[in-house]
Amino acid sequence: MITRPKGTNDFLPPTTAGWQYVENILREMAAVYGYREIRTPIFEATELFQRGVGETTDIVTKEMYTFSDKGGRSITLRPEGTASTARAFIEHKLHGGTLPLKLFYMGPMFRYERPQKGRFRQFHQFGIEVFGSKEASVDGEIIAFAMDFYRRLGLTDLKVRLNSVGCPVCRAEHKRRLQEFLRPHLEEMCGDCRERFEKNPLRIFDCKQEKCQSLLVGAPTVADCLCEDCRDHFERVKAYLDEADIPYDLDPFLVRGLDYYTKTAFEIILNEIGAQSAICGGGRYDGLIADIGGSDMPGVGFALGMERIFAALETAGVTLPVEDSLDVFFVALGESAKTHCFAWLEALRKEGLRAEMDHMGKSFKAQMKTADREKAAFVVICGDNELENNEIIIKNMADHAQETVSAASVTETIVRRIKS
Ligand code: HAM
């Protein structure tokens, strides 16, 4: 038997109805907050992520699905959406339009990670990106958007972890101080971290080895090295969050797994879901557009994990009000009755009602069972005999009341009953 690749999921009904429900909320919220949709390819030139996400990140060094296509180009399945969105922004010269430009996307991302609860190799993100504004109000807005979304779903036990990772000026200073702090312990580090030490010592914070983590105790944080501009920006972000009553915890060790961040970096954590508790992550990336060949153009955004929403809903015991019941089920007995039911079914569907009939040649009893299982509000019972006597039965499944109507008034009666 051929099974799905490790770390991927098949989403079956009724799970998919839950996904659609959440996706609809996200689309509605995007409209309310003024974000318009962008759709970019699932695969991109590998170089985009090398330059965008960063050569020393785990994503680029270990987790990318990279292959050569038949033309010999190095192609990578997108591990995230920010680099692609930034690439499209440059390619379509969107800096020429009204700024800030506010975009959203939704779709699958691919990372070759060790699969576990809440961590997959194909997973789905909803993300927003804002291009063109340096203002801290945008940083505030995107965090407010994410928190508003989770609140609408009924997820409230959340925390924003907030940090500023500074600009290249603060980072150079931090790199210097961090190297100074760690240099005496260079020999004790794992091979990966010794390499990180030279290229990008900040990445040592990502190391999973206990030994390396223990060496970081008391290490200087970027927050200790912020320049005046970055410190000021950070204060403004906090002021906006305070003003909007969005609680946050400052976390000077939050560095995020992607290199493009400048100034604001944040994650939203669900208190209960354990190891994979980050349900959303984002921040500002004022250098990304220039790094991948565009002009000097600030940006800020976030992405939230769709799978982790559903894990969070389950943990929090929240059930979504997903509508999957039928308005009417036609129980037909005999060929002539079936033909009539087929016509009524079509007429009701044109009215927008959720209508269904039996397509399996089932007995009367089995059809009634199906109607029950599909949670039909009404059942129309029609046999060849009833049809001859012009007596079609409509049964209200909620109170089991039955009424007999003429064949000519079946659809009209059903529409009236449903609408009332
Ligand atoms: P990220 O933190 O790598 O950021 O991913 C964002 C969210 O995607 C995570 O908080 C998590 O919910 C979900 N996620 C990540 N990896 C997996 C996985 N393997 N399985 C399931 N869910 C996962 C980014 O991707 C940035 N592009 C976010 C961003 C947008 N920053 C600025 N703009």
Side-chain angles (χ1 to χ4, degrees):
M1 189 171 74
I2 302 172
T3 56
R4 63 186 193 272
K6 194 173 165 187
T8 66
N9 288 298
D10 296 315
F11 298 107
L12 310 176
T15 302
T16 40
W19 278 68
Q20 287 169 11
Y21 177 85
V22 170
E23 286 162 3
N24 286 342
I25 292 190
L26 286 165
R27 285 182 190 284
E28 280 165 22
M29 286 194 60
V32 167
Y33 278 80
Y35 290 75
R36 291 188 293 167
E37 186 175 10
I38 179 165
R39 300 187 189 196
T40 61
I42 300 286
F43 57 84
E44 297 271 359
T46 303
E47 193 191 350
L48 173 66
F49 303 113
Q50 288 169 335
R51 279 169 55 187
V53 174
E55 294 274 14
T56 56
T57 58
D58 277 359
I59 293 180
V60 170
T61 54
K62 302 180 188 158
E63 296 171 0
M64 294 208 299
Y65 279 90
T66 297
F67 57 95
S68 293
D69 72 4
K70 292 191 199 307
R73 303 168 195 89
S74 182
I75 294 291
T76 293
L77 301 186
R78 62 180 188 191
E80 59 105 50
T82 311
S84 308
T85 309
R87 195 254 322 125
F89 179 86
I90 301 167
E91 190 166 335
H92 299 283
K93 302 187 174 52
L94 300 179
H95 59 268
T98 312
L99 296 177
L101 179 66
K102 309 206 300 187
L103 300 170
F104 82 88
Y105 51 84
M106 213 164 1
M109 308 290 162
F110 307 85
R111 295 183 194 176
Y112 193 80
E113 293 196 84
R114 200 163 51 79
Q116 50 183 275
K117 191 174 186 308
R119 190 195 282 168
F120 305 99
R121 290 183 174 169
Q122 173 173 334
F123 59 98
H124 299 75
Q125 285 185 342
F126 167 86
I128 62 177
E129 313 292 352
V130 184
F131 297 102
S133 171
K134 282 189 182 343
E135 302 280 314
S137 51
V138 192
D139 308 42
E141 174 178 297
I142 64 163
I143 297 174
F145 184 132
M147 292 300 273
D148 188 8
F149 163 67
Y150 292 121
R151 186 192 52 78
R152 283 186 204 210
L153 281 186
L155 293 171
T156 47
D157 196 11
L158 304 176
K159 266 211 181 107
V160 178
R161 290 169 62 204
L162 184 69
N163 192 20
S164 173
V165 296
C167 64
V169 177
C170 333
R171 278 239 279 282
E173 171 62 10
H174 178 242
K175 183 176 175 184
R176 195 187 58 74
R177 286 210 224 164
L178 192 57
Q179 282 171 329
E180 201 172 277
F181 177 87
L182 289 171
R183 199 177 308 277
H185 306 288
L186 205 50
E187 291 306 309
E188 300 161 62
M189 285 178 201
C190 72
D192 277 357
C193 283
R194 270 198 295 264
E195 231 173 84
R196 289 170 176 143
F197 178 86
E198 290 306 334
K199 289 192 195 153
N200 189 357
L202 198 66
R203 285 276 151 254
I204 298 174
F205 284 97
D206 294 342
C207 185
K208 309 278 184 299
Q209 307 266 345
E210 247 173 64
K211 178 72 205 170
C212 298
Q213 284 305 314
S214 72
L215 298 175
L216 287 167
V217 176
T221 64
V222 196
D224 300 328
C225 311
L226 292 185
C227 68
E228 204 182 318
D229 179 40
C230 289
R231 217 172 17 224
D232 189 49
H233 183 89
F234 197 32
E235 290 308 315
R236 297 291 305 150
V237 175
K238 288 189 273 184
Y240 284 117
L241 295 180
D242 292 338
E243 204 53 44
D245 277 333
I246 296 170
Y248 55 87
D249 288 337
L250 296 180
D251 180 354
F253 294 100
L254 178 73
V255 293
R256 310 265 307 123
L258 305 98
D259 275 352
Y260 47 62
Y261 291 110
T262 55
K263 297 184 176 168
T264 312
F266 73 93
E267 282 184 351
I268 299 175
I269 307 291
L270 189 79
N271 283 335
E272 304 126 358
I273 61 174
Q276 304 306 318
S277 57
I279 53 176
C280 176
R284 183 164 274 286
Y285 45 84
D286 291 346
L288 173 64
I289 297 268
D291 285 347
I292 59 170
S295 55
D296 182 23
M297 177 66 61
V300 58
F302 73 67
L304 55 85
M306 298 289 290
E307 284 81 357
R308 290 189 191 172
I309 297 173
F310 294 99
L313 288 169
E314 202 182 314
T315 314
V318 178
T319 36
L320 299 175
V322 172
E323 182 60 71
D324 67 344
S325 55
L326 283 180
D327 291 319
V328 54
F329 189 88
F330 286 90
V331 170
L333 287 167
E335 273 315 307
S336 174
K338 209 169 165 182
T339 315
H340 273 79
C341 285
F342 185 84
W344 292 326
L345 180 71
E346 278 309 295
L348 288 177
R349 284 173 171 169
K350 283 185 184 126
E351 292 288 331
L353 265 54
R354 297 164 179 239
E356 195 52 275
M357 70 186 282
D358 171 55
H359 294 293
M360 298 298 288
K362 284 183 183 164
S363 69
F364 173 78
K365 213 169 136 194
Q367 290 189 48
M368 286 302 290
K369 245 193 195 155
T370 308
D372 217 31
R373 201 182 47 234
E374 299 293 331
K375 294 180 270 200
F378 291 90
V379 171
V380 175
I381 301 166
C382 175
D384 286 353
N385 290 343
E386 283 87 350
L387 203 56
E388 251 169 52
N389 298 331
N390 203 18
E391 288 181 342
I392 315 300
I393 296 166
I394 296 177
K395 183 171 176 182
N396 182 333
M397 298 295 272
D399 58 12
H400 300 283
Q402 297 199 12
E403 60 183 313
T404 304
V405 300
S406 69
S409 61
V410 168
T411 56
E412 181 208 326
T413 311
I414 294 280
V415 169
R416 203 162 0 101
R417 295 277 172 276
I418 292 285
K419 294 203 168 145
S420 69

